[in-house]
Amino acid sequence: MLQKINFLPYRDLQKQDQKAKFKSIMIIIGVLGIATVFGTGYVYDLNIENQINRNSFLEKETLKLDEQLIEVSNLKNEIKELEIQRDTVYALQNNRTQAVELAEMFTRRVPEEVYLTEANQSGNRFTIKGIANSNERVSQTMRNLEQVQWVKGVTLLQTKSIRVEDTSLAGIKSYRTLFEFSISFDRVVEEPKSSTNKDPNKSNTTNNIST
């Protein structure tokens, strides 16, 4: 006769063991899921923070570059102002030297019996007008000007005879012949070393020199 064995307690234990394993697996999966979510969020937050830091760094560097560009622009403006001041000083010195040279030239090169009545300047071109006792004196004036080192292009623009009353003889009315003349010449100017100076011949300003 066979003995009956009750397997129910074993099956209950087996079911409980399976349930416990299932719960453990679910807990592990839940923990891993939560860890994954938090880990992913942390990575995203870290990437966002890094990007924000990079953007902030780029903005700071951009501001530095802008400031440097402004400094460079200011330096360029200062250099231009200094060049303008230098050129102005050069022009003033040149004008003073020119006035002295002209006065000395007229004193030494204008012969006797020649009287200058007007002198005009346009850039480096000069025009002088005067009265001479003869055409020979006019020619001599031109030859004297041609001997000046910084003078070139001496040209006789006009000469004409005029009659004026001679007052040298008291009580006697008489006339004498004089010659009005107009002569032009160019002044040779030494160009400054700077390439920023303009050609003085292109100046449209006309200066009058009192004599």
Side-chain angles (χ1 to χ4, degrees):
M1 185 175 178
L2 296 174
Q3 185 178 359
K4 294 182 180 180
I5 300 174
N6 187 6
F7 288 98
L8 290 175
Y10 173 76
R11 290 176 181 176
D12 291 337
L13 291 173
Q14 189 177 16
K15 289 180 179 180
Q16 292 177 0
D17 185 54
Q18 289 177 352
K19 289 180 179 180
K21 289 181 179 179
F22 178 77
K23 289 181 180 180
S24 298
I25 292 172
M26 292 304 295
I27 291 172
I28 293 173
I29 292 173
V31 171
L32 290 176
I34 295 172
T36 301
V37 171
F38 280 102
T40 303
Y42 175 77
V43 172
Y44 285 158
D45 292 341
L46 185 62
N47 289 335
I48 292 173
E49 183 179 358
N50 291 336
Q51 186 63 43
I52 292 174
N53 292 334
R54 285 196 292 268
N55 292 341
S56 178
F57 174 78
L58 290 175
E59 289 177 358
K60 290 179 180 179
E61 292 300 317
T62 301
L63 291 176
K64 289 181 180 179
L65 288 176
D66 291 339
E67 292 176 356
Q68 292 176 356
L69 290 175
I70 294 174
E71 291 179 358
V72 170
S73 178
N74 292 336
L75 286 175
K76 288 182 178 179
N77 292 333
E78 290 178 2
I79 291 173
K80 288 181 180 179
E81 291 178 359
L82 290 175
E83 289 178 348
I84 293 173
Q85 293 176 4
R86 178 198 59 199
D87 295 341
T88 302
V89 171
Y90 176 85
L92 292 175
Q93 292 176 345
N94 185 57
N95 289 337
R96 286 196 292 267
T97 303
Q98 176 179 284
V100 173
E101 289 176 346
L102 287 172
E104 182 180 2
M105 181 191 70
F106 290 147
T107 301
R108 293 186 176 184
R109 301 296 178 176
V110 175
E112 295 181 357
E113 299 180 346
V114 175
Y115 308 94
L116 297 182
T117 59
E118 185 178 345
N120 297 323
Q121 176 186 2
S122 179
N124 287 329
R125 169 154 304 262
F126 293 84
T127 302
I128 58 174
K129 296 180 181 180
I131 298 175
N133 282 358
S134 65
N135 274 328
E136 176 59 29
R137 292 297 187 186
V138 177
S139 299
Q140 184 179 352
T141 301
M142 294 180 64
R143 290 194 296 270
N144 291 347
L145 292 176
E146 289 173 348
Q147 294 175 1
V148 179
Q149 183 178 3
W150 50 268
V151 170
K152 68 176 182 179
V154 179
T155 305
L156 179 63
L157 300 179
Q158 182 184 22
T159 179
K160 65 178 181 180
S161 60
I162 58 173
R163 292 186 65 192
V164 296
E165 185 176 354
D166 188 358
T167 59
S168 61
L169 299 176
I172 301 177
K173 188 174 183 180
S174 61
Y175 294 89
R176 57 185 301 191
T177 301
L178 300 177
F179 294 87
E180 285 185 344
F181 65 87
S182 177
I183 298 173
S184 68
F185 61 88
D186 294 324
R187 182 177 186 273
V188 180
V189 178
E190 180 182 357
E191 293 293 337
K193 295 182 180 180
S194 171
S195 61
T196 59
N197 290 291
K198 298 181 179 179
D199 185 357
N201 286 322
K202 297 180 181 179
S203 174
N204 294 324
T205 303
T206 299
N207 300 322
N208 292 329
I209 304 174
S210 301
T211 58

